[in-house]
Amino acid sequence: MANQSGQIYGLTILSPILEGDTLDIAHATALRWYLASLPRDHTSPFAQVSSTHFARLVVMDDVVFVGAPAIEEHLKSRYLVFETNFDGDLDAYLARMAKEIPDFVDSVWKHCVGYPGVADPAAFVAYMKKCQIETTFFFADVNNQTVQQNLKALQLQSALSHFIGQNQGKPAAEIQKSFGVLMEHLAKAPAPLPGGRDSEKTAAEDRPYDR
Amino acid sequence: MNAVTPMKPWKTPILRVLFFVLGAIKPLQSGLKNLSFIHFARWVIIDRTQFPHLGPKQPQEKLQYDYLIFFSNFNGTWNQYIDAFSAVLSTGLDAIWVWSEKFPGSVPVTPFKGYINQVQFDTDYYYNAYPRAATNDVKAALRVQDAFTDFAQTSQTLSPAEFEKAYLEFLVRVQADLGSTGMAPVGT
Amino acid sequence: MIDSAKIDSAKIDSAKIDSAKTGSTKIDVSDIQGFALKGYNFPYARYLLLELSHVKGARDFIGQIVHYLTTGERWEEKPVSTVNIAFTFHGLAKLELPEPTLLSFPVEFQQGMKARGEILYDTGKNSSEHWEPVWRDNRVHIWLAVNAQTPAALEEQCALLLQIANQTGGAMLLQAQDAHAIFIDGKPTTKEHFGYTDGFGNPDFKGAERDCVPGQGKLTADGKWEALATGEFLLGYADESGELPVAPIPHLLARNGTFMVYRKMHQNVATFRSFLEEQGRLYPGGKEKLASKFVGRWRDGTPVELSPDRMDPALVADNDRNTNFTYGKDLNGLRCPVGAHIRRGNPRDAFGFNGELVNRRRIMRRGLTYGTYVPEGQPVRDEDEHGIIFMALNASLFRQFEFVQQQWIEYGNDLHQGNDKDLVIGNHGGRGKSVLQGTADPQNPPFLCANLPNFVELRGGDYFFMPSLTALQMIASGTVDPR
């Protein structure tokens, strides 16, 4: 299945954007402004749909004219491109979007042709699938770990590095005891929030070992 | 990075076959894994009749070219990324993009960069679940986790002398994978 | 044409110009400044940093200096002193090169090193607000370098040059930066102030006069060493990617010229020595072995990759061996740590792909120490004036020096060391860390150094263009024509 690599699904959606003569602002413009204002860290809608590894939204105005002797041609509509890489099943992901981030979905796809809203999740899923383009070739470097698994591993790596530095040269019995404490601490620590904390000034709390 | 290039429709089936073959034989895949700065990448062929058409009010597209869209989520600066591709993946890249109109080849690098600049389009919104981790960091962290899990199993039941030895072996196992995460250098 | 179907992959490969197959590159050594072609290895130097005033005097000055310049011609007998010259962008502007020419210089050169601070990680302690005043206001227009065999020859040559400056009224001396080899037992050495023996591993390129030293060039498919393309170090010649490097117009101005970065690197000798003492006590292998792991060479110059357990003077003395190694069999850093200084500066084949990713990132180093050497064991302070005047030459500052500095020295992702910086020269700000890989032998364990301070601080510098003699004549006579 070309859309899948390991347990990662690569979804590509092209939604035609509404054109309208009766508006002050074109749909594409309003959409761009909305996207520019959205947070990208753990407060992002995609952090909420936490199976998302990477996602992007692009307003594609037109195709590119690469220069003579290629033919110049133009798209009749603009398209919203939604490219996302997430864990697991397509239907489940789309259902999560409808259920967990309905305001965001509305704010974006209300600018698109044929958008049925999220009140009826089945209709939303059907609509998105109508806009789906099959991925022809999908590359995923790490394709067998969920977002949470990656985040936990990164948390462990950071904590361990700090531990090693702190305990260098200490007597073995002491290190052994401290290592036991580390194990407990890591087992209990909640997975870090996806998306990071770059919107906040104080990133220090849950990443004390980062620069 | 996003790029869209036009292809003459008679060439599209050749590229589809090529991707199928690439997917099976995996030379490009291993090159990309060894370069280790792409998290995810995809190529999407959109047939000229396949642009989604969702209602009578939406005009039907009438296009002469098929389009190849490329998306990648990568680490490093744009220049570094293209330089590396040109240096070590040129044959694979050429095989994919040679079907696109006016592609100059991926070697030498300057005309290649010029073409990419032309066919690139900008992302309006980008989300990364682990923004301070490069692909290498993720892979390293997963290796560290495996090692930690293995070592943790017996760490508390060993005698101090046994622990000392096992801990040293554990350190050797993880020692190349302890780089700190953080913000990447600014693009240039 | 556009309709052509498949590009034969053989044609793509042959597009990579390989001048080794098309015959050796001839370069015009009498047109190229000697500083670009060879390390003079003279023990004394003075870098006269000059400001230009009015264009006529400036052009007169250049016109006269040209006659004293040292070229790349082979010496029958070593001269007592050499003279070389290079210009900042502001210097070229002062000389009233035509606007289109000025604007055709690479962006990073136009901006100058100070403006590139964010890119180079010249922030915090290394930011320009801590630089010497001479470097802070774009007043340095000319770097006029004298290298000499004796102090007397140095003084004589400098006096002569300054006399010309005065006579023509063209240039004013802002600062004379002295540099000299560290003398030990009365003999000049290639040591620097932290005690390391420096000066190995400068790149070999096609057309350079000296013999290829194994390990200095690029790796071939069958594991041999070959000289790099000339265009990596000189403008106007094909580079490693099969094209001519970006160069200013007109062609004659650029050809046989090159770009230079100059960085005055102050060394905090007291901090380094106490760090090494303290960590050396904790490290089972001892202080010297630890020091070797920081850099990738023991302090006597023995390469750690070839000899991880002891110094080897015979190896150091043998040019066929002292830089002849690869990291391909040591990808996990068990011998030479993955983040060691020389491994960061030149990763060789550590990234796989037979070293391809490194061939366009080489720099030619010409640095020299400055300040009084304080032998080990004697009291020393961080504030004392000592360090290295780091100078490196390359065809593209952006692609070579800036890349190495940004991606491999101040960052570690390509080396799989995440954000960790070079232990010795990184801009740590007190929070750096470095992991020195080891083995399961308790005498050679993995060792983590944390809370790293800045051992080295940047005190100033800039980017310079080092023109050919032809170009200098054009500059001096005001005949640069950008077409």
Side-chain angles (χ1 to χ4, degrees), chain A residues 11-12 39 44 53 55-57 59 68 71 73 76 79 84-85 127 136-137 139 141 157 176 195 211, chain B residues 2 33 39 41-43 45 54 61 64-65 67 72-73 102 124-125 127 129-130 132 139 155 158 177:
Chain A
L11 175 65
T12 316
S44 159
H53 288 263
R56 77 182 68 201
L57 286 154
V59 174
I71 299 162
E73 65 179 12
K76 293 204 170 64
Y79 292 83
T84 174
N85 304 270
Y127 163 75
T136 317
F137 186 74
F139 170 77
D141 200 347
Q157 179 194 41
Q176 185 174 26
R211 303 203 71 255
Chain B
N2 321 304
K33 276 189 194 273
H39 291 269
R42 69 179 76 161
W43 284 266
I45 296 177
L54 258 68
E61 298 293 353
Q64 301 199 47
Y65 290 123
Y67 285 89
S72 79
N73 299 284
K102 298 212 74 175
D124 289 286
Y125 180 81
Y127 169 80
Y130 23 90
R132 293 166 81 97
K139 297 204 268 197
S155 70
L158 299 169
D177 289 329

Side-chain angles (χ1 to χ4, degrees), chain B residues 8 94 110 175 178 180 183, chain C residues 3 12 243 406 419 433 438:
Chain B
K8 290 198 170 135
D94 285 346
T110 305
Q175 63 183 348
L178 296 174
S180 300
M183 301 309 291
Chain C
D3 276 6
I12 296 169
E243 49 185 355
Q406 186 196 57
N419 281 52
K433 90 160 205 293

Side-chain angles (χ1 to χ4, degrees), chain C residues 245-314:
Chain C
V246 169
I249 52 168
H251 185 60
L252 267 186
L253 178 72
R255 188 164 187 276
N256 289 327
T258 190
F259 289 99
M260 178 177 82
V261 53
Y262 175 112
R263 288 164 78 79
K264 179 169 180 172
M265 317 281 304
H266 172 86
Q267 294 182 264
N268 288 324
V269 180
T271 298
F272 181 80
R273 284 186 183 170
S274 69
F275 178 80
L276 183 58
E277 275 304 318
E278 170 205 314
Q279 297 289 304
R281 278 195 287 273
L282 299 170
Y283 180 67
K287 167 175 129 176
E288 282 310 318
K289 182 154 189 198
L290 186 63
S292 82
K293 297 272 185 199
F294 293 166
V295 166
R297 286 188 187 271
W298 294 80
R299 294 207 276 185
D300 74 336
T302 306
V304 171
E305 188 57 41
L306 293 176
S307 179
D309 298 314
R310 58 184 189 85
M311 297 196 203
D312 187 345

Side-chain angles (χ1 to χ4, degrees), chain C residues 372-406:
Chain C
T372 316
Y373 177 63
V374 176
E376 298 266 347
Q378 291 192 16
V380 70
R381 302 174 311 161
D382 280 341
E383 314 87 270
D384 296 339
E385 267 286 284
H386 28 227
I388 295 179
I389 302 295
F390 171 83
M391 289 166 290
L393 304 162
N394 45 201
S396 169
L397 291 159
F398 170 71
R399 184 171 45 75
Q400 293 163 269
F401 165 71
E402 288 196 335
F403 183 88
V404 174
Q405 168 73 9
Q406 186 196 57

